[in-house]
Each structure stands twice: as structure tokens, then as C-alpha cells.
């Protein structure tokens, strides 16, 4: 019962963060899910749970999507997904835990420092491909894309909507990869039964928060959550 309650809280919180900022579901959800279950199950569940949130944001904010950037992100992001699915299949559990921890730490640093990634369109294309591979293998994609977009001058709603288009597509492609590679296990199904109502709660609260967002306070809270999560995963990876 305690594990079920923790899974509910984790997925609700991840959905809240994703609905509010346009990214961050897996950053918040994957590390604790990896501690509650196992790394592969955590990645698959996070991938499945983040998809409806991204689709919902895309549908609501479709008029705010930057179509040129969305097309670029889609093309290269989807190209990276098969490589990520392959990595998820071949990496041992400890290596996957380390990879998740590294991605969380890198993501936390990029968000904390508001680090822009220079280089224009070629850089955005490369980061999109890397993000797609990262999502399929570790469940984490957002910070790389956010860093690539920092300094672009996009309004928050435009950035959220444009990123959600890519995340919707990479989630769908990853789902196909998980199914083909036999990752949709009964354990994943049982966690999804808990995760769906939690996701709906998080989405509803997240939309309210987005409308009344104190951006700096929320950002600090998310950074603390990411730091705690990454330390937990590193500790487990070292101990295993």
C-alpha cells in the first residue's frame, strides 16, 4: 500500500510539473520510480505517463506552436528514438541507474544555470536527436531541449506548446519501441492503473498553477526535487 501511495504521489507531481512548465515529468518521476520498482520499469512507465500530458498541452495550446521549430524537433527527435530503445535493451540495471542519475544531474544544472546552447539550427537538430534517444533510454528529455531554446526569446506558452509537440511524438514512438522489445510487462500495467488517476490530478492542478505561476518560486522547488532525486539514484547505483 505504501508503494502504491508513493507511485501516485510521484506521478501526480510529475504531471503537475509537466503541465506547468512543458517539461520535467520524467526528471521528477523517473528517479523515485526507479527506487520503487526497477530502472527499466521506471523508464517505461514514465514514458507512457508523460505522453497524455504532452498531447493535452499540444491540443490546448496548438495555436501557440512554432511550426518551423516543431517540424525540426519532430524529424530529428524521432530519429533518435530507436537508438534509445536499443540502449534500454542492452544496458545492465546498474549502468541504467547511472545513466538516469547523470541525465538528472545534467538537467538540473542546465535548468539551474539557465545555460543556453549556442549553434543555431544545426545544434537544435543535434540536441533533438539526442533528446529522443535520451527519452527512450532513460525517460528524460526536457532539459536538453530547454537549454537549446534558452535565449530564443520564445514566450513561455509558445515554448511549452512547441516542446509538447515533440514530446508527444517521441512518446508515441517510444511506446511502439517498448511494445516491440517486450517492455510492456504486467508490472508496468499495474503501475499504470495507479498512474492514470494520479496523472489526471497532476494535470488539473498544473494548469491552475500555470495560470498563477510565480515562476521563480516554482523553479526553485523543482530544482530541489531534482537534486534530491538525483542523489537518491546515485546512492542506489553506487550501492548496487
Amino acid at each position: 500500500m505504501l508503494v502504491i501511495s508513493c507511485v501516485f504521489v510521484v506521478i501526480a507531481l510529475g504531471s503537475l510539473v509537466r503541465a506547468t512548465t512543458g517539461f520535467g515529468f520524467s526528471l521528477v518521476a523517473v528517479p523515485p520510480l526507479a527506487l520503487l520498482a526497477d530502472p527499466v520499469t521506471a523508464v517505461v512507465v514514465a514514458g507512457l505517463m508523460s505522453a497524455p500530458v504532452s498531447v493535452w498541452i499540444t491540443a490546448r495550446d496548438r495555436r501557440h506552436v512554432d511550426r518551423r521549430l516543431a517540424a525540426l524537433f519532430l524529424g530529428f527527435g524521432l530519429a533518435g528514438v530507436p537508438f534509445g530503445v536499443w540502449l534500454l535493451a542492452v544496458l545492465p540495471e546498474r549502468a541504467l541507474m547511472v545513466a538516469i542519475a547523470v541525465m538528472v544531474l545534467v538537467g538540473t544544472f542546465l535548468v539551474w544555470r539557465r545555460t543556453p546552447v549556442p549553434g543555431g539550427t544545426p545544434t537544435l537538430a543535434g540536441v533533438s536527436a539526442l533528446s529522443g534517444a535520451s527519452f527512450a533510454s532513460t525517460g528524460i528529455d526536457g532539459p536538453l531541449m530547454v537549454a537549446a531554446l534558452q535565449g530564443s526569446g520564445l514566450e513561455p506558452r509558445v515554448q511549452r506548446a512547441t516542446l509538447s509537440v515533440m514530446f508527444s511524438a517521441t512518446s508515441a514512438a517510444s511506446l511502439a519501441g517498448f511494445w516491440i522489445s517486450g517492455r510492456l510487462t504486467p508490472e508496468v500495467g499495474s503501475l499504470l492503473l495507479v498512474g492514470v488517476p494520479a496523472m489526471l490530478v497532476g494535470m488539473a492542478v498544473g494548469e491552475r498553477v500555470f495560470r498563477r505561476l510565480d515562476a521563480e518560486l516554482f523553479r526553485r522547488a523543482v530544482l530541489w526535487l531534482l537534486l534530491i532525486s538525483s542523489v537518491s539514484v546515485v546512492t542506489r547505483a553506487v550501492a548496487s
Side-chain angles (χ1 to χ4, degrees):
M1 188 64 182
L2 178 60
V3 172
I4 292 175
S5 300
C6 290
V7 169
F8 185 96
V9 171
V10 166
I11 292 178
L13 185 58
S15 299
L16 187 157
V17 171
R18 183 66 163 250
T20 305
T21 65
F23 77 102
F25 179 94
S26 296
L27 271 173
V28 173
V30 169
L33 286 177
L35 299 175
L36 293 167
D38 64 82
V40 173
T41 299
V43 170
V44 174
V45 169
L48 296 176
M49 286 285 90
S50 65
V53 185
S54 296
V55 171
W56 176 68
I57 294 172
T58 301
R60 284 182 62 88
D61 291 349
R62 59 188 178 278
R63 295 178 181 175
H64 300 279
V65 173
D66 185 310
R67 297 182 183 278
R68 184 188 69 83
L69 285 178
L72 178 70
F73 295 163
L74 279 174
F76 287 92
L78 290 174
V81 168
F83 180 65
V85 172
W86 175 76
L87 284 177
L88 184 65
V90 301
L91 286 177
E93 180 173 323
R94 183 173 183 179
L96 186 57
M97 289 290 287
V98 171
I100 291 171
V102 168
M103 290 304 300
V104 173
L105 288 169
V106 170
T108 302
F109 177 80
L110 292 175
V111 175
W112 169 52
R113 297 292 296 174
R114 294 188 175 97
T115 306
V117 178
T121 299
T123 297
L124 288 175
V127 171
S128 298
L130 180 59
S131 179
S134 173
F135 179 77
S137 58
T138 68
I140 297 167
D141 52 3
L144 296 172
M145 297 305 302
V146 171
L149 285 177
Q150 288 185 117
S152 65
L154 293 179
E155 297 179 359
R157 187 172 289 274
V158 174
Q159 179 171 300
R160 186 178 80 151
T162 304
L163 288 175
S164 292
V165 172
M166 174 185 170
F167 297 154
S168 298
T170 53
S171 295
S174 297
L175 171 59
F178 296 152
W179 177 66
I180 292 171
S181 60
R183 299 297 177 183
L184 302 183
T185 63
E187 184 178 9
V188 169
S190 65
L191 292 183
L192 290 179
L193 291 177
V194 180
V196 171
M199 175 193 67
L200 295 175
V201 170
M203 288 166 61
V205 176
E207 187 62 25
R208 290 179 179 271
V209 172
F210 183 72
R211 294 172 187 168
R212 308 173 182 179
L213 185 62
D214 181 335
E216 189 58 31
L217 179 62
F218 185 80
R219 178 175 167 275
R220 290 178 183 176
V222 170
L223 284 172
W224 276 109
L225 284 171
L226 299 182
L227 183 60
I228 294 169
S229 295
S230 59
V231 169
S232 299
V233 176
V234 170
T235 302
R236 174 170 168 176
V238 171
S240 61

